[in-house]
Amino acid sequence: MRNVVVTGVPRPSLSDLDALAGFGTATVHEAAGRTGYLGPDLVARVPGARIVGSVVTAVCWPGDNLMIHAAVEQCAEGDVLLVTTTSPCTDGLFGELLATSLRSRGVRGAVLTTGVRDVAELRAMPFPVWSRAVSAQGSVKATAGAVNVPVAVGGVVVHPGDALVADDDGVCVVGRRSLRQVIDASAAREEKEEATRARLREGQLGLDRYELREVLADLGVTYEEAPR
């Protein structure tokens, strides 16, 4: 990895980000062909929050948050900071003071594959954060890393300028060039789900709505009366 801070990263328009914000992580993940989900271990530390933003990445060394401070300078209105480390780390690399700095720049939230701390303060602000751990363990500022380079999280390669959606269901990224397509697919999926929701309220069974009786029959499932 080169020790570099990449500037001037192209970003999606704020209007496209706000359009994506109308949909939850699960809907976006499905609409994107079940791609971009960063895994179940990124947990919302501010329950109920939902954000959509343009990704700024920071690669740090374990126990060292120097490059988070370098990344803050590269953040702008509508961004989300995504932090990872060169090897696994659960230390609290991020807390209320960094959140305060990011919020002053219009950043919508942060996602970290490490630990965070000051959770009570983050919830009180509120500043939405997703992380793999909560830890009081602090950090140093001594080792160079990188900002705005591609990173791999949960088996997904994330590029600076990708769109990121996060809520209580987790975190998903959408490539900048496919964002409009995913927005349209998310809207279509939500419209279809609303029609299904209406029928389920009326009492229709999922077995019939999704034509699952044929699936059960093809799998050899039979129905038998219980003995009396």
Side-chain angles (χ1 to χ4, degrees):
M1 179 188 68
R2 290 194 305 135
N3 298 328
V4 62
V5 175
V6 178
T7 64
V9 171
R11 290 166 164 82
S13 69
L14 289 177
S15 61
D16 280 350
L17 292 174
D18 290 341
L20 189 67
F23 311 106
T25 298
T27 295
V28 171
H29 177 239
E30 295 283 353
R34 296 188 176 181
T35 63
Y37 176 51
L38 301 191
D41 51 350
L42 294 175
V43 178
R45 304 304 171 183
V46 181
R50 177 188 290 181
I51 61 168
V52 172
S54 176
V55 173
V56 171
T57 67
V59 181
C60 298
W61 282 68
D64 191 312
N65 71 356
L66 173 64
M67 299 313 293
I68 297 180
H69 289 272
V72 171
E73 184 181 27
Q74 302 307 314
C75 289
E77 179 76 28
D79 284 344
V80 174
L81 179 61
L82 175 61
V83 178
T84 189
T85 48
T86 56
S87 60
C89 171
T90 58
D91 295 348
L93 300 190
F94 184 93
E96 176 257 338
L97 293 179
L98 278 166
T100 299
S101 184
L102 287 173
R103 191 163 70 170
S104 75
R105 303 180 73 83
V107 175
R108 296 177 174 181
V111 177
L112 300 97
T113 66
T114 67
V116 298
R117 59 185 188 173
D118 304 333
V119 172
E121 289 81 0
L122 293 172
R123 291 174 179 170
M125 292 175 68
F127 186 84
V129 174
W130 286 255
S131 73
R132 281 188 175 149
V134 172
S135 174
Q137 178 66 49
S139 58
V140 300
K141 301 167 180 58
T143 313
V147 172
N148 276 336
V149 298
V151 298
V153 178
V156 176
V157 177
V158 184
H159 296 270
D162 283 351
L164 182 149
V165 55
D167 58 20
D168 284 336
D169 289 338
V171 182
C172 184
V173 295
V174 178
R176 182 170 59 90
R177 289 182 174 84
S178 60
L179 181 54
R180 281 303 323 174
Q181 177 183 350
V182 173
I183 291 170
D184 292 342
S186 296
R189 181 175 181 83
E190 195 158 89
E191 182 178 353
K192 180 180 179 181
E193 287 187 349
E194 181 53 39
T196 297
R197 189 175 296 111
R199 296 303 302 273
L200 294 176
R201 287 195 192 105
E202 294 168 0
Q204 184 180 30
L205 293 174
L207 282 173
D208 299 312
R209 182 68 181 175
Y210 302 121
E211 300 180 348
L212 298 179
R213 295 189 189 279
E214 293 83 354
V215 176
L216 290 174
D218 289 343
L219 292 173
V221 177
T222 61
Y223 287 76
E224 298 176 359
E225 284 285 339
R228 301 193 181 278

